[in-house]
Amino acid sequence: MADYLDDLRLAHVLADAADAATMARFKALDLKVETKPDMTPVSEADKAAEELIRGQLQRARPRDAVLGEEYGVQGTGPRRWVVDPIDGTKNYVRGVPVWATLIALTEADGGAFQPVVGLVSAPALGRRWWAAKGHGAFTGRSLSQASRLRVSGVSRLADASFAYSSLGGWEERGRLNGFLDLTRKVWRTRAYGDFWPYMMVAEGSVDLCAEPELSLWDMAATAIVVTEAGGSFTGLDGRPGPHSGNAAASNGLLHDELLDHLNERY
């Protein structure tokens, strides 16, 4: 089995640099924000953080390709870093501290790039989570100050906590009925949004989460953290990994029921 610990160490270095850049502009009164063609916001901090990560990767891993939300794909080869400089830009620009830099390393495997390293850094929350293939998932302040992540053992929907982002996307995609029925079956629901529910699944504080539309850079890092913590991460179609354009994550014990409800197969 390949040892990805050097790549994980590099991901921490990249995240340290990105955190410094994003926190320096968080809540800045003169923060510049633009609207992209898909009508989502992008701030100067998004662009600066991605440029910073790309620059460090070019020096440290010049043979690796990079895919980022703001600047697309650069390079070719069997190894590709996937970067979302600020996941939760709408929160960032409004001063809400729930946002994170997502960094993943993926490798070509069976016609797709599969995550082998993932790091989620939320500096405004003072939290960081990470994982490497075959090495487990962890949270803490650094590699040397960390605790291992494990998903929950909740096995009944009636006892489960379900997290999501919003209602609108489910309605737009004709999945609202199944989604609402799931919310009635579980013990608790909360709309934490973005990266955070997936990290809570990995920690065992939330048992289920799902989103109806996502990009690869939203999922590559979170997917391996969830799976290395013992959970399941698939698309709504049940395909493992971050390649379906949407996501369903769970402690594994409730995954089939999660998918059945969201696909109205119950």
Side-chain angles (χ1 to χ4, degrees), residues 161-165 179 188-193 197 200 206 208-210:
S161 180
F162 171 50
Y164 61 96
S165 286
F179 172 86
R188 192 168 190 254
T189 62
R190 286 294 184 271
Y192 298 108
M200 290 184 186
V206 165
L208 308 163
C209 69

Side-chain angles (χ1 to χ4, degrees), residues 151-245:
V151 296
S152 76
V154 173
S155 59
R156 298 173 63 244
L157 280 183
D159 299 324
S161 180
F162 171 50
Y164 61 96
S165 286
S166 66
L167 294 176
W170 299 100
E171 184 172 26
E172 291 168 8
R173 287 155 189 83
R175 295 180 180 267
L176 185 60
N177 289 338
F179 172 86
L180 290 176
D181 196 53
L182 176 62
T183 67
R184 299 181 187 109
K185 298 283 182 64
V186 298
W187 166 63
R188 192 168 190 254
T189 62
R190 286 294 184 271
Y192 298 108
D194 301 307
F195 68 94
W196 208 5
Y198 302 97
M199 299 303 94
M200 290 184 186
V201 168
E203 291 178 338
S205 54
V206 165
D207 312 297
L208 308 163
C209 69
E211 291 182 86
E213 184 179 19
L214 292 169
S215 297
L216 178 61
W217 46 76
D218 299 312
M219 299 183 280
T222 59
I224 188 167
V225 174
V226 169
T227 55
E228 285 291 323
S232 296
F233 190 108
T234 72
L236 298 178
D237 57 5
R239 181 184 177 192
H243 300 292
S244 299

